[in-house]
C-alpha cells in the first residue's frame, strides 16, 4: 500500500467505544459406567475483574444387590471490565445403576 497524501490524517478519540471486553467460557463433562465415575470442569474468565469456580464430585459403590456410579461437574465464570460484563456456566450429571 502506498500512502501518497497524509494531509487528511486526523486524531480519533475512542470515547464510549468498546475496546477489549470481558469474556468467559465454562464447560463440564461427566461419564459413568459399572464401577467407573469421571467428572471434569473448566472455567475461564478474561477481564479486569474475574471469578471462576469449578467443581467435580464422583462416587461409586457396589453391594450384593446393586452397582451404583455417580458423577457431577459444574463450572462458573464471571468477568467484568469498564465496558462489558460476561457470565458463563455449565453443569453435568451422570448416573449408572445396575443390579446383578
Amino acid at each position: 500500500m502506498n500512502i501518497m497524501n497524509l494531509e487528511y490524517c486526523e486524531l480519533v478519540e475512542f470515547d464510549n467505544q468498546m475496546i477489549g471486553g470481558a469474556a468467559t467460557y465454562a464447560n463440564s463433562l461427566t461419564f459413568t459406567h459399572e464401577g467407573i465415575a469421571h467428572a471434569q470442569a473448566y472455567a475461564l474468565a478474561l477481564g479486569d475483574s474475574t471469578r471462576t469456580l469449578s467443581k467435580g464430585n464422583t462416587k461409586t459403590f457396589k453391594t450384593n444387590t446393586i452397582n451404583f456410579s455417580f458423577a457431577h461437574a459444574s463450572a462458573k465464570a464471571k468477568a467484568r471490565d469498564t465496558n462489558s460484563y460476561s457470565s458463563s456456566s455449565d453443569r453435568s450429571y451422570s448416573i449408572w445403576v445396575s443390579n446383578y
Side-chain angles (χ1 to χ4, degrees), residues 23-65:
T24 56
Y25 172 77
N27 185 31
S28 61
L29 172 70
T30 57
F31 170 79
T32 56
H33 200 272
E34 185 176 342
I36 299 169
H38 173 79
Q40 65 187 41
Y42 302 103
L44 172 69
L46 303 170
D48 295 335
S49 174
T50 61
R51 178 181 284 172
T52 60
L53 175 66
S54 357
K55 294 184 198 178
N57 182 24
T58 62
K59 183 174 187 175
T60 62
F61 69 85
K62 188 181 201 180
T63 67
N64 292 336
T65 58

Side-chain angles (χ1 to χ4, degrees), residues 1 20 32-33 37 55 62 69 71 74 80 82 87 97:
M1 174 193 291
T32 56
H33 200 272
K55 294 184 198 178
K62 188 181 201 180
S69 298
S74 65
R80 180 183 303 268
T82 56
S87 177
V97 180

